Amino acid sequence: MEVLAQRPRRLRQTPALRALVAQTRLHPADLVLPVFVREGVSEAQPIGSMPGVVQHGLDSLVAVAREAVTAGLGGLMIFGVPATRDESGSGADDPDGILNVALRRVREAVGDDLVVMADLCLDEFTDHGHCGVLDSQGRVDNDRTLVRYASMALAQAAAGAQVVGLSGMMDGQVGHVREALDRGGFTDTIILAYAAKYASGFYGPFREAVESTLQGDRSTYQQDPANTTESLREVALDLDQGADIVMVKPALPYLDILSQVAQMSPVPVAAYQVSGEYAQIEAAAAHGWIDRERVMMESLISIKRAGAQIILTYYALEAARLLAPNPQPPTPSP
Ligand code: PBG
C-alpha cells in the first residue's frame, strides 16, 4: 500500500461526508422566479422557445405567487406584456397598465410573504421595442428615457412593488429613479440595478415571451461581451447612485464577471439565468443528451459558487421543490 499524506478522496466517500464538506448550498430563499403577465388573457399561454414557462393571466399569476410563498422562494420578478404599445411606452406608468395592475393583485394576495419585484424598463411597452424613447434620428435618448423611468418607478411603487428592477442600462438611471422615489415618499422602495447587463444573444427566447417588436439590437446601451472593466465601472456607478442590490446578466456565460463583482460589492449581488440559458438546458434534455435536473441544479450551484447571493431563474419553483428536505417521520429508538 502506497503511503500518501494527501488523499482528497477521503472526504468524498459517502453522500453524508460530501454534504458535510460542501462549501456552497442553495436555498429556496436564494431564488427569484421571473414571470410574465399578459394583458387580456384568461388562461396561461405557453411560450414555444421556453417549454414549461408561460405568459400568465392575472388569476394564474396570483396562483403562482401563492405557490412561490409555499415553496419559500425569495421573490417574484414580474414582466408585463401589454395588448397595445406606443412610441413612449405609455402603458408602463399607467396605473391601469398590465404590469401595475398585476403588481397590485399579487401584492394583495401575498402581502409581505414574498418579495414582489417589477421589471423597470420600457421595451415591453414601446412599439419600436427599445428600452427607452427615441430621438428624432431614431437613437435611444438617454435623458428623456430617465424621465419615463422615474414615472414608471412611482407607478410601480404605488402599485405595491417592493423592489424595482432597472434593466434598461441608461446612464444615471439608478440615481434618477432613487431621487424620484424619495421625493414621492417611497424611501423604502428597493432598487435592484441590472448593473452589468450584456448585449446578449441569450435573451432570444425572452423576446418571444414578451412578444418583442425590436428591430436591430441593444448594443448602444447594453455592454459588449468582450469587456470586463466596464462592468466594474457600471457597478461602481450604480453603487454610488444608491443601488441596493446589483445584478450581473446573463449568468453562466459571465461567471467571471459575477465573481469579480461579488468581490467588490458591499451590497448583495444577484445574477440572472436568462431565457437562452434555460432554453439550452431544456433543448438538450428534450433530446436526451443531458440529465435535465442534474444540469439545472449544477448550473444554479455554479452561479451561487461564483458569488451570487440571489439568483433569478425560470427554474426557481422546481429547484425549490427539489431542495425541500423530505419530511421524515421520526424513527422511534429501540
Ligand atoms: C429588458 C429585459 C430583457 C430581459 C430581462 N429584461 C431583454 C433584453 O434586454 O433584451 C431578458 C431576460 C431573459 O432573457 O430571460 N426589459
PDB file of all heavy atoms in Angstrom, residues 34 36 50 79 119-124 131 167-168 194 197-198 200 202-207 210 214 218 221-222 249 272-276 314, ligand 1:
ATOM      1  N   PRO A  34     -38.752  34.733 -12.331  1.00  0.00           N
ATOM      2  CA  PRO A  34     -39.266  35.730 -13.274  1.00  0.00           C
ATOM      3  C   PRO A  34     -40.562  35.203 -13.890  1.00  0.00           C
ATOM      4  O   PRO A  34     -40.641  34.034 -14.270  1.00  0.00           O
ATOM      5  CB  PRO A  34     -38.167  35.821 -14.345  1.00  0.00           C
ATOM      6  CG  PRO A  34     -37.037  34.952 -13.869  1.00  0.00           C
ATOM      7  CD  PRO A  34     -37.612  33.978 -12.899  1.00  0.00           C
ATOM      8  N   PHE A  36     -44.158  36.221 -16.470  1.00  0.00           N
ATOM      9  CA  PHE A  36     -44.726  37.109 -17.492  1.00  0.00           C
ATOM     10  C   PHE A  36     -46.232  37.172 -17.302  1.00  0.00           C
ATOM     11  O   PHE A  36     -46.871  36.132 -17.130  1.00  0.00           O
ATOM     12  CB  PHE A  36     -44.421  36.554 -18.895  1.00  0.00           C
ATOM     13  CG  PHE A  36     -42.942  36.357 -19.123  1.00  0.00           C
ATOM     14  CD1 PHE A  36     -42.369  35.083 -19.053  1.00  0.00           C
ATOM     15  CD2 PHE A  36     -42.117  37.441 -19.368  1.00  0.00           C
ATOM     16  CE1 PHE A  36     -41.000  34.894 -19.235  1.00  0.00           C
ATOM     17  CE2 PHE A  36     -40.746  37.271 -19.553  1.00  0.00           C
ATOM     18  CZ  PHE A  36     -40.194  35.996 -19.485  1.00  0.00           C
ATOM     19  N   MET A  50     -39.555  28.474 -24.664  1.00  0.00           N
ATOM     20  CA  MET A  50     -39.267  28.257 -23.248  1.00  0.00           C
ATOM     21  C   MET A  50     -40.256  27.224 -22.689  1.00  0.00           C
ATOM     22  O   MET A  50     -41.180  27.569 -21.944  1.00  0.00           O
ATOM     23  CB  MET A  50     -39.385  29.565 -22.460  1.00  0.00           C
ATOM     24  CG  MET A  50     -38.432  30.645 -22.923  1.00  0.00           C
ATOM     25  SD  MET A  50     -38.653  32.198 -22.015  1.00  0.00           S
ATOM     26  CE  MET A  50     -37.895  31.776 -20.451  1.00  0.00           C
ATOM     27  N   PHE A  79     -42.825  40.697 -15.241  1.00  0.00           N
ATOM     28  CA  PHE A  79     -42.716  41.382 -16.532  1.00  0.00           C
ATOM     29  C   PHE A  79     -44.113  41.483 -17.139  1.00  0.00           C
ATOM     30  O   PHE A  79     -44.856  40.497 -17.135  1.00  0.00           O
ATOM     31  CB  PHE A  79     -41.845  40.581 -17.507  1.00  0.00           C
ATOM     32  CG  PHE A  79     -40.391  40.508 -17.115  1.00  0.00           C
ATOM     33  CD1 PHE A  79     -39.930  39.481 -16.303  1.00  0.00           C
ATOM     34  CD2 PHE A  79     -39.482  41.456 -17.563  1.00  0.00           C
ATOM     35  CE1 PHE A  79     -38.585  39.409 -15.931  1.00  0.00           C
ATOM     36  CE2 PHE A  79     -38.149  41.387 -17.200  1.00  0.00           C
ATOM     37  CZ  PHE A  79     -37.694  40.367 -16.389  1.00  0.00           C
ATOM     38  N   ASP A 119     -40.118  44.556 -13.175  1.00  0.00           N
ATOM     39  CA  ASP A 119     -39.124  44.957 -14.185  1.00  0.00           C
ATOM     40  C   ASP A 119     -39.384  46.417 -14.532  1.00  0.00           C
ATOM     41  O   ASP A 119     -40.502  46.804 -14.842  1.00  0.00           O
ATOM     42  CB  ASP A 119     -39.257  44.095 -15.439  1.00  0.00           C
ATOM     43  CG  ASP A 119     -38.216  44.471 -16.496  1.00  0.00           C
ATOM     44  OD1 ASP A 119     -37.024  44.459 -16.157  1.00  0.00           O
ATOM     45  OD2 ASP A 119     -38.598  44.780 -17.639  1.00  0.00           O
ATOM     46  N   LEU A 120     -38.329  47.214 -14.451  1.00  0.00           N
ATOM     47  CA  LEU A 120     -38.492  48.637 -14.778  1.00  0.00           C
ATOM     48  C   LEU A 120     -37.720  48.936 -16.054  1.00  0.00           C
ATOM     49  O   LEU A 120     -36.505  49.177 -16.029  1.00  0.00           O
ATOM     50  CB  LEU A 120     -37.996  49.509 -13.614  1.00  0.00           C
ATOM     51  CG  LEU A 120     -38.561  50.937 -13.568  1.00  0.00           C
ATOM     52  CD1 LEU A 120     -38.229  51.614 -12.247  1.00  0.00           C
ATOM     53  CD2 LEU A 120     -38.105  51.801 -14.718  1.00  0.00           C
ATOM     54  N   CYS A 121     -38.449  48.851 -17.174  1.00  0.00           N
ATOM     55  CA  CYS A 121     -37.840  49.062 -18.475  1.00  0.00           C
ATOM     56  C   CYS A 121     -38.969  49.326 -19.458  1.00  0.00           C
ATOM     57  O   CYS A 121     -40.102  48.923 -19.218  1.00  0.00           O
ATOM     58  CB  CYS A 121     -37.047  47.826 -18.893  1.00  0.00           C
ATOM     59  SG  CYS A 121     -35.991  48.116 -20.322  1.00  0.00           S
ATOM     60  N   LEU A 122     -38.664  49.997 -20.567  1.00  0.00           N
ATOM     61  CA  LEU A 122     -39.748  50.355 -21.481  1.00  0.00           C
ATOM     62  C   LEU A 122     -39.935  49.383 -22.643  1.00  0.00           C
ATOM     63  O   LEU A 122     -40.887  49.503 -23.407  1.00  0.00           O
ATOM     64  CB  LEU A 122     -39.491  51.761 -22.045  1.00  0.00           C
ATOM     65  CG  LEU A 122     -39.781  52.923 -21.085  1.00  0.00           C
ATOM     66  CD1 LEU A 122     -39.315  54.236 -21.725  1.00  0.00           C
ATOM     67  CD2 LEU A 122     -41.267  53.004 -20.744  1.00  0.00           C
ATOM     68  N   ASP A 123     -39.026  48.403 -22.800  1.00  0.00           N
ATOM     69  CA  ASP A 123     -39.047  47.627 -24.054  1.00  0.00           C
ATOM     70  C   ASP A 123     -40.339  46.864 -24.309  1.00  0.00           C
ATOM     71  O   ASP A 123     -40.738  46.689 -25.447  1.00  0.00           O
ATOM     72  CB  ASP A 123     -37.840  46.692 -24.139  1.00  0.00           C
ATOM     73  CG  ASP A 123     -37.820  45.649 -23.051  1.00  0.00           C
ATOM     74  OD1 ASP A 123     -38.113  45.984 -21.891  1.00  0.00           O
ATOM     75  OD2 ASP A 123     -37.516  44.483 -23.338  1.00  0.00           O
ATOM     76  N   GLU A 124     -41.013  46.430 -23.241  1.00  0.00           N
ATOM     77  CA  GLU A 124     -42.263  45.705 -23.470  1.00  0.00           C
ATOM     78  C   GLU A 124     -43.408  46.648 -23.838  1.00  0.00           C
ATOM     79  O   GLU A 124     -44.460  46.201 -24.274  1.00  0.00           O
ATOM     80  CB  GLU A 124     -42.675  44.896 -22.231  1.00  0.00           C
ATOM     81  CG  GLU A 124     -41.784  43.708 -21.943  1.00  0.00           C
ATOM     82  CD  GLU A 124     -40.693  44.041 -20.938  1.00  0.00           C
ATOM     83  OE1 GLU A 124     -40.651  45.158 -20.412  1.00  0.00           O
ATOM     84  OE2 GLU A 124     -39.875  43.169 -20.672  1.00  0.00           O
ATOM     85  N   CYS A 131     -35.497  49.916 -25.143  1.00  0.00           N
ATOM     86  CA  CYS A 131     -35.644  50.100 -23.699  1.00  0.00           C
ATOM     87  C   CYS A 131     -35.857  51.555 -23.307  1.00  0.00           C
ATOM     88  O   CYS A 131     -36.002  51.870 -22.128  1.00  0.00           O
ATOM     89  CB  CYS A 131     -34.421  49.532 -22.972  1.00  0.00           C
ATOM     90  SG  CYS A 131     -34.318  47.735 -23.116  1.00  0.00           S
ATOM     91  N   SER A 167     -33.668  47.556 -15.637  1.00  0.00           N
ATOM     92  CA  SER A 167     -32.969  46.696 -16.586  1.00  0.00           C
ATOM     93  C   SER A 167     -32.628  47.393 -17.897  1.00  0.00           C
ATOM     94  O   SER A 167     -32.214  46.749 -18.850  1.00  0.00           O
ATOM     95  CB  SER A 167     -33.795  45.436 -16.855  1.00  0.00           C
ATOM     96  OG  SER A 167     -35.025  45.747 -17.458  1.00  0.00           O
ATOM     97  N   GLY A 168     -32.778  48.730 -17.959  1.00  0.00           N
ATOM     98  CA  GLY A 168     -32.642  49.413 -19.248  1.00  0.00           C
ATOM     99  C   GLY A 168     -31.250  49.856 -19.639  1.00  0.00           C
ATOM    100  O   GLY A 168     -31.027  50.244 -20.783  1.00  0.00           O
ATOM    101  N   TYR A 194     -29.738  46.295 -12.629  1.00  0.00           N
ATOM    102  CA  TYR A 194     -29.080  45.405 -13.576  1.00  0.00           C
ATOM    103  C   TYR A 194     -27.812  46.173 -13.943  1.00  0.00           C
ATOM    104  O   TYR A 194     -27.783  46.919 -14.922  1.00  0.00           O
ATOM    105  CB  TYR A 194     -29.919  45.211 -14.824  1.00  0.00           C
ATOM    106  CG  TYR A 194     -31.150  44.340 -14.706  1.00  0.00           C
ATOM    107  CD1 TYR A 194     -32.147  44.594 -13.779  1.00  0.00           C
ATOM    108  CD2 TYR A 194     -31.321  43.262 -15.585  1.00  0.00           C
ATOM    109  CE1 TYR A 194     -33.290  43.801 -13.723  1.00  0.00           C
ATOM    110  CE2 TYR A 194     -32.462  42.470 -15.540  1.00  0.00           C
ATOM    111  CZ  TYR A 194     -33.441  42.746 -14.601  1.00  0.00           C
ATOM    112  OH  TYR A 194     -34.571  41.969 -14.577  1.00  0.00           O
ATOM    113  N   LYS A 197     -25.163  44.453 -17.475  1.00  0.00           N
ATOM    114  CA  LYS A 197     -26.048  43.714 -18.371  1.00  0.00           C
ATOM    115  C   LYS A 197     -25.462  43.760 -19.769  1.00  0.00           C
ATOM    116  O   LYS A 197     -25.262  44.837 -20.339  1.00  0.00           O
ATOM    117  CB  LYS A 197     -27.446  44.330 -18.349  1.00  0.00           C
ATOM    118  CG  LYS A 197     -28.417  43.633 -19.291  1.00  0.00           C
ATOM    119  CD  LYS A 197     -29.831  44.133 -19.104  1.00  0.00           C
ATOM    120  CE  LYS A 197     -30.773  43.468 -20.091  1.00  0.00           C
ATOM    121  NZ  LYS A 197     -32.152  43.932 -19.937  1.00  0.00           N
ATOM    122  N   TYR A 198     -25.209  42.582 -20.291  1.00  0.00           N
ATOM    123  CA  TYR A 198     -24.555  42.472 -21.597  1.00  0.00           C
ATOM    124  C   TYR A 198     -25.567  42.394 -22.733  1.00  0.00           C
ATOM    125  O   TYR A 198     -26.655  41.839 -22.570  1.00  0.00           O
ATOM    126  CB  TYR A 198     -23.648  41.233 -21.595  1.00  0.00           C
ATOM    127  CG  TYR A 198     -22.385  41.475 -20.784  1.00  0.00           C
ATOM    128  CD1 TYR A 198     -22.349  41.249 -19.420  1.00  0.00           C
ATOM    129  CD2 TYR A 198     -21.245  41.982 -21.407  1.00  0.00           C
ATOM    130  CE1 TYR A 198     -21.197  41.505 -18.671  1.00  0.00           C
ATOM    131  CE2 TYR A 198     -20.098  42.244 -20.676  1.00  0.00           C
ATOM    132  CZ  TYR A 198     -20.075  42.000 -19.311  1.00  0.00           C
ATOM    133  OH  TYR A 198     -18.942  42.273 -18.586  1.00  0.00           O
ATOM    134  N   SER A 200     -26.800  40.479 -25.254  1.00  0.00           N
ATOM    135  CA  SER A 200     -26.597  39.034 -25.350  1.00  0.00           C
ATOM    136  C   SER A 200     -27.608  38.326 -26.238  1.00  0.00           C
ATOM    137  O   SER A 200     -28.815  38.588 -26.158  1.00  0.00           O
ATOM    138  CB  SER A 200     -26.670  38.430 -23.937  1.00  0.00           C
ATOM    139  OG  SER A 200     -26.640  37.025 -23.989  1.00  0.00           O
ATOM    140  N   PHE A 202     -28.356  35.428 -25.684  1.00  0.00           N
ATOM    141  CA  PHE A 202     -29.068  34.532 -24.775  1.00  0.00           C
ATOM    142  C   PHE A 202     -30.437  35.065 -24.346  1.00  0.00           C
ATOM    143  O   PHE A 202     -31.161  34.388 -23.645  1.00  0.00           O
ATOM    144  CB  PHE A 202     -28.211  34.242 -23.523  1.00  0.00           C
ATOM    145  CG  PHE A 202     -27.060  33.313 -23.779  1.00  0.00           C
ATOM    146  CD1 PHE A 202     -25.808  33.801 -24.104  1.00  0.00           C
ATOM    147  CD2 PHE A 202     -27.227  31.927 -23.705  1.00  0.00           C
ATOM    148  CE1 PHE A 202     -24.738  32.946 -24.348  1.00  0.00           C
ATOM    149  CE2 PHE A 202     -26.175  31.071 -23.944  1.00  0.00           C
ATOM    150  CZ  PHE A 202     -24.916  31.572 -24.264  1.00  0.00           C
ATOM    151  N   TYR A 203     -30.767  36.298 -24.750  1.00  0.00           N
ATOM    152  CA  TYR A 203     -32.107  36.813 -24.435  1.00  0.00           C
ATOM    153  C   TYR A 203     -33.132  36.421 -25.511  1.00  0.00           C
ATOM    154  O   TYR A 203     -34.290  36.822 -25.423  1.00  0.00           O
ATOM    155  CB  TYR A 203     -32.115  38.352 -24.318  1.00  0.00           C
ATOM    156  CG  TYR A 203     -31.087  38.947 -23.380  1.00  0.00           C
ATOM    157  CD1 TYR A 203     -30.522  40.198 -23.632  1.00  0.00           C
ATOM    158  CD2 TYR A 203     -30.692  38.278 -22.230  1.00  0.00           C
ATOM    159  CE1 TYR A 203     -29.581  40.752 -22.773  1.00  0.00           C
ATOM    160  CE2 TYR A 203     -29.742  38.832 -21.375  1.00  0.00           C
ATOM    161  CZ  TYR A 203     -29.186  40.069 -21.656  1.00  0.00           C
ATOM    162  OH  TYR A 203     -28.257  40.615 -20.826  1.00  0.00           O
ATOM    163  N   GLY A 204     -32.697  35.682 -26.513  1.00  0.00           N
ATOM    164  CA  GLY A 204     -33.584  35.354 -27.640  1.00  0.00           C
ATOM    165  C   GLY A 204     -34.974  34.874 -27.250  1.00  0.00           C
ATOM    166  O   GLY A 204     -35.980  35.471 -27.661  1.00  0.00           O
ATOM    167  N   PRO A 205     -35.075  33.805 -26.468  1.00  0.00           N
ATOM    168  CA  PRO A 205     -36.414  33.304 -26.140  1.00  0.00           C
ATOM    169  C   PRO A 205     -37.280  34.300 -25.357  1.00  0.00           C
ATOM    170  O   PRO A 205     -38.499  34.320 -25.505  1.00  0.00           O
ATOM    171  CB  PRO A 205     -36.125  32.055 -25.290  1.00  0.00           C
ATOM    172  CG  PRO A 205     -34.753  31.631 -25.695  1.00  0.00           C
ATOM    173  CD  PRO A 205     -34.017  32.907 -25.968  1.00  0.00           C
ATOM    174  N   PHE A 206     -36.645  35.159 -24.569  1.00  0.00           N
ATOM    175  CA  PHE A 206     -37.380  36.204 -23.826  1.00  0.00           C
ATOM    176  C   PHE A 206     -38.136  37.116 -24.789  1.00  0.00           C
ATOM    177  O   PHE A 206     -39.247  37.554 -24.500  1.00  0.00           O
ATOM    178  CB  PHE A 206     -36.388  37.024 -23.005  1.00  0.00           C
ATOM    179  CG  PHE A 206     -36.976  38.196 -22.245  1.00  0.00           C
ATOM    180  CD1 PHE A 206     -37.392  38.058 -20.928  1.00  0.00           C
ATOM    181  CD2 PHE A 206     -37.086  39.458 -22.841  1.00  0.00           C
ATOM    182  CE1 PHE A 206     -37.908  39.145 -20.219  1.00  0.00           C
ATOM    183  CE2 PHE A 206     -37.597  40.546 -22.137  1.00  0.00           C
ATOM    184  CZ  PHE A 206     -38.011  40.380 -20.822  1.00  0.00           C
ATOM    185  N   ARG A 207     -37.530  37.361 -25.931  1.00  0.00           N
ATOM    186  CA  ARG A 207     -38.181  38.256 -26.898  1.00  0.00           C
ATOM    187  C   ARG A 207     -39.504  37.652 -27.344  1.00  0.00           C
ATOM    188  O   ARG A 207     -40.466  38.367 -27.584  1.00  0.00           O
ATOM    189  CB  ARG A 207     -37.258  38.507 -28.093  1.00  0.00           C
ATOM    190  CG  ARG A 207     -35.881  39.053 -27.701  1.00  0.00           C
ATOM    191  CD  ARG A 207     -35.805  40.562 -27.732  1.00  0.00           C
ATOM    192  NE  ARG A 207     -34.647  41.063 -27.003  1.00  0.00           N
ATOM    193  CZ  ARG A 207     -33.438  41.309 -27.525  1.00  0.00           C
ATOM    194  NH1 ARG A 207     -33.222  41.088 -28.816  1.00  0.00           N
ATOM    195  NH2 ARG A 207     -32.459  41.767 -26.768  1.00  0.00           N
ATOM    196  N   VAL A 210     -42.109  38.081 -24.397  1.00  0.00           N
ATOM    197  CA  VAL A 210     -42.749  39.403 -24.248  1.00  0.00           C
ATOM    198  C   VAL A 210     -43.226  39.947 -25.596  1.00  0.00           C
ATOM    199  O   VAL A 210     -43.623  41.097 -25.708  1.00  0.00           O
ATOM    200  CB  VAL A 210     -41.817  40.436 -23.555  1.00  0.00           C
ATOM    201  CG1 VAL A 210     -41.439  39.960 -22.166  1.00  0.00           C
ATOM    202  CG2 VAL A 210     -40.579  40.732 -24.385  1.00  0.00           C
ATOM    203  N   LEU A 214     -38.716  44.457 -31.336  1.00  0.00           N
ATOM    204  CA  LEU A 214     -37.413  45.083 -31.592  1.00  0.00           C
ATOM    205  C   LEU A 214     -36.823  44.717 -32.958  1.00  0.00           C
ATOM    206  O   LEU A 214     -36.746  43.553 -33.324  1.00  0.00           O
ATOM    207  CB  LEU A 214     -36.425  44.679 -30.491  1.00  0.00           C
ATOM    208  CG  LEU A 214     -35.025  45.291 -30.609  1.00  0.00           C
ATOM    209  CD1 LEU A 214     -35.071  46.778 -30.296  1.00  0.00           C
ATOM    210  CD2 LEU A 214     -34.052  44.592 -29.666  1.00  0.00           C
ATOM    211  N   ARG A 218     -29.437  46.004 -29.030  1.00  0.00           N
ATOM    212  CA  ARG A 218     -29.338  46.970 -27.942  1.00  0.00           C
ATOM    213  C   ARG A 218     -27.881  47.338 -27.638  1.00  0.00           C
ATOM    214  O   ARG A 218     -27.552  47.719 -26.526  1.00  0.00           O
ATOM    215  CB  ARG A 218     -29.975  46.387 -26.679  1.00  0.00           C
ATOM    216  CG  ARG A 218     -31.391  45.862 -26.843  1.00  0.00           C
ATOM    217  CD  ARG A 218     -32.049  45.692 -25.494  1.00  0.00           C
ATOM    218  NE  ARG A 218     -33.248  44.876 -25.524  1.00  0.00           N
ATOM    219  CZ  ARG A 218     -34.433  45.263 -25.991  1.00  0.00           C
ATOM    220  NH1 ARG A 218     -34.560  46.474 -26.505  1.00  0.00           N
ATOM    221  NH2 ARG A 218     -35.475  44.458 -25.962  1.00  0.00           N
ATOM    222  N   TYR A 221     -26.626  50.481 -25.710  1.00  0.00           N
ATOM    223  CA  TYR A 221     -26.812  50.683 -24.271  1.00  0.00           C
ATOM    224  C   TYR A 221     -26.400  49.480 -23.427  1.00  0.00           C
ATOM    225  O   TYR A 221     -25.902  49.651 -22.329  1.00  0.00           O
ATOM    226  CB  TYR A 221     -28.214  51.186 -23.904  1.00  0.00           C
ATOM    227  CG  TYR A 221     -29.407  50.591 -24.628  1.00  0.00           C
ATOM    228  CD1 TYR A 221     -30.252  49.701 -23.989  1.00  0.00           C
ATOM    229  CD2 TYR A 221     -29.719  50.963 -25.937  1.00  0.00           C
ATOM    230  CE1 TYR A 221     -31.383  49.184 -24.625  1.00  0.00           C
ATOM    231  CE2 TYR A 221     -30.838  50.445 -26.583  1.00  0.00           C
ATOM    232  CZ  TYR A 221     -31.664  49.549 -25.923  1.00  0.00           C
ATOM    233  OH  TYR A 221     -32.760  49.037 -26.558  1.00  0.00           O
ATOM    234  N   GLN A 222     -26.585  48.268 -23.920  1.00  0.00           N
ATOM    235  CA  GLN A 222     -26.103  47.110 -23.162  1.00  0.00           C
ATOM    236  C   GLN A 222     -24.627  46.886 -23.486  1.00  0.00           C
ATOM    237  O   GLN A 222     -24.121  47.356 -24.495  1.00  0.00           O
ATOM    238  CB  GLN A 222     -26.941  45.880 -23.496  1.00  0.00           C
ATOM    239  CG  GLN A 222     -28.408  46.078 -23.108  1.00  0.00           C
ATOM    240  CD  GLN A 222     -29.288  44.897 -23.446  1.00  0.00           C
ATOM    241  OE1 GLN A 222     -28.897  43.988 -24.186  1.00  0.00           O
ATOM    242  NE2 GLN A 222     -30.496  44.888 -22.918  1.00  0.00           N
ATOM    243  N   LYS A 249     -25.855  39.908 -15.628  1.00  0.00           N
ATOM    244  CA  LYS A 249     -26.774  39.215 -16.522  1.00  0.00           C
ATOM    245  C   LYS A 249     -26.197  39.166 -17.919  1.00  0.00           C
ATOM    246  O   LYS A 249     -25.711  40.207 -18.376  1.00  0.00           O
ATOM    247  CB  LYS A 249     -28.091  39.990 -16.531  1.00  0.00           C
ATOM    248  CG  LYS A 249     -29.138  39.472 -17.468  1.00  0.00           C
ATOM    249  CD  LYS A 249     -30.310  40.411 -17.430  1.00  0.00           C
ATOM    250  CE  LYS A 249     -31.348  39.928 -18.405  1.00  0.00           C
ATOM    251  NZ  LYS A 249     -32.482  40.809 -18.487  1.00  0.00           N
ATOM    252  N   TYR A 272     -28.782  36.689 -13.150  1.00  0.00           N
ATOM    253  CA  TYR A 272     -29.996  36.293 -13.865  1.00  0.00           C
ATOM    254  C   TYR A 272     -29.653  35.180 -14.854  1.00  0.00           C
ATOM    255  O   TYR A 272     -28.932  35.408 -15.822  1.00  0.00           O
ATOM    256  CB  TYR A 272     -30.556  37.509 -14.598  1.00  0.00           C
ATOM    257  CG  TYR A 272     -31.992  37.421 -15.099  1.00  0.00           C
ATOM    258  CD1 TYR A 272     -32.799  38.549 -15.111  1.00  0.00           C
ATOM    259  CD2 TYR A 272     -32.554  36.237 -15.576  1.00  0.00           C
ATOM    260  CE1 TYR A 272     -34.115  38.512 -15.574  1.00  0.00           C
ATOM    261  CE2 TYR A 272     -33.855  36.182 -16.029  1.00  0.00           C
ATOM    262  CZ  TYR A 272     -34.633  37.329 -16.033  1.00  0.00           C
ATOM    263  OH  TYR A 272     -35.935  37.285 -16.507  1.00  0.00           O
ATOM    264  N   GLN A 273     -30.167  33.986 -14.550  1.00  0.00           N
ATOM    265  CA  GLN A 273     -30.042  32.878 -15.512  1.00  0.00           C
ATOM    266  C   GLN A 273     -31.132  33.106 -16.553  1.00  0.00           C
ATOM    267  O   GLN A 273     -32.310  32.853 -16.298  1.00  0.00           O
ATOM    268  CB  GLN A 273     -30.255  31.536 -14.796  1.00  0.00           C
ATOM    269  CG  GLN A 273     -30.104  30.341 -15.713  1.00  0.00           C
ATOM    270  CD  GLN A 273     -30.328  29.020 -14.987  1.00  0.00           C
ATOM    271  OE1 GLN A 273     -31.322  28.856 -14.267  1.00  0.00           O
ATOM    272  NE2 GLN A 273     -29.436  28.071 -15.166  1.00  0.00           N
ATOM    273  N   VAL A 274     -30.731  33.611 -17.720  1.00  0.00           N
ATOM    274  CA  VAL A 274     -31.717  34.158 -18.663  1.00  0.00           C
ATOM    275  C   VAL A 274     -32.360  33.083 -19.533  1.00  0.00           C
ATOM    276  O   VAL A 274     -31.992  31.892 -19.486  1.00  0.00           O
ATOM    277  CB  VAL A 274     -31.092  35.271 -19.542  1.00  0.00           C
ATOM    278  CG1 VAL A 274     -30.546  36.392 -18.674  1.00  0.00           C
ATOM    279  CG2 VAL A 274     -30.007  34.698 -20.450  1.00  0.00           C
ATOM    280  N   SER A 275     -33.300  33.555 -20.351  1.00  0.00           N
ATOM    281  CA  SER A 275     -34.130  32.658 -21.155  1.00  0.00           C
ATOM    282  C   SER A 275     -33.323  31.693 -22.019  1.00  0.00           C
ATOM    283  O   SER A 275     -33.664  30.514 -22.127  1.00  0.00           O
ATOM    284  CB  SER A 275     -35.065  33.492 -22.027  1.00  0.00           C
ATOM    285  OG  SER A 275     -34.335  34.396 -22.837  1.00  0.00           O
ATOM    286  N   GLY A 276     -32.253  32.181 -22.650  1.00  0.00           N
ATOM    287  CA  GLY A 276     -31.463  31.312 -23.527  1.00  0.00           C
ATOM    288  C   GLY A 276     -30.694  30.256 -22.759  1.00  0.00           C
ATOM    289  O   GLY A 276     -30.468  29.142 -23.269  1.00  0.00           O
ATOM    290  N   TYR A 314     -35.795  30.773 -14.165  1.00  0.00           N
ATOM    291  CA  TYR A 314     -37.089  30.203 -14.512  1.00  0.00           C
ATOM    292  C   TYR A 314     -37.279  28.848 -13.829  1.00  0.00           C
ATOM    293  O   TYR A 314     -38.368  28.299 -13.831  1.00  0.00           O
ATOM    294  CB  TYR A 314     -37.219  30.100 -16.044  1.00  0.00           C
ATOM    295  CG  TYR A 314     -37.104  31.465 -16.681  1.00  0.00           C
ATOM    296  CD1 TYR A 314     -35.902  31.912 -17.233  1.00  0.00           C
ATOM    297  CD2 TYR A 314     -38.184  32.340 -16.675  1.00  0.00           C
ATOM    298  CE1 TYR A 314     -35.782  33.185 -17.768  1.00  0.00           C
ATOM    299  CE2 TYR A 314     -38.077  33.621 -17.207  1.00  0.00           C
ATOM    300  CZ  TYR A 314     -36.869  34.036 -17.745  1.00  0.00           C
ATOM    301  OH  TYR A 314     -36.756  35.301 -18.249  1.00  0.00           O
TER     302      TYR A 314
HETATM  303  C1  PBG B   1     -35.385  44.123 -20.695  1.00  0.00           C
HETATM  304  C2  PBG B   1     -35.076  42.724 -20.277  1.00  0.00           C
HETATM  305  C3  PBG B   1     -34.639  41.666 -21.083  1.00  0.00           C
HETATM  306  C4  PBG B   1     -34.501  40.565 -20.253  1.00  0.00           C
HETATM  307  C5  PBG B   1     -34.879  40.954 -18.979  1.00  0.00           C
HETATM  308  N1  PBG B   1     -35.199  42.300 -19.013  1.00  0.00           N
HETATM  309  C6  PBG B   1     -34.435  41.601 -22.546  1.00  0.00           C
HETATM  310  C7  PBG B   1     -33.399  42.426 -23.173  1.00  0.00           C
HETATM  311  O1  PBG B   1     -32.641  43.148 -22.538  1.00  0.00           O
HETATM  312  O2  PBG B   1     -33.360  42.379 -24.393  1.00  0.00           O
HETATM  313  C8  PBG B   1     -34.060  39.205 -20.677  1.00  0.00           C
HETATM  314  C9  PBG B   1     -34.391  38.107 -19.727  1.00  0.00           C
HETATM  315  C10 PBG B   1     -34.230  36.751 -20.302  1.00  0.00           C
HETATM  316  O3  PBG B   1     -33.699  36.567 -21.424  1.00  0.00           O
HETATM  317  O4  PBG B   1     -34.623  35.796 -19.622  1.00  0.00           O
HETATM  318  N2  PBG B   1     -36.578  44.570 -20.096  1.00  0.00           N
END
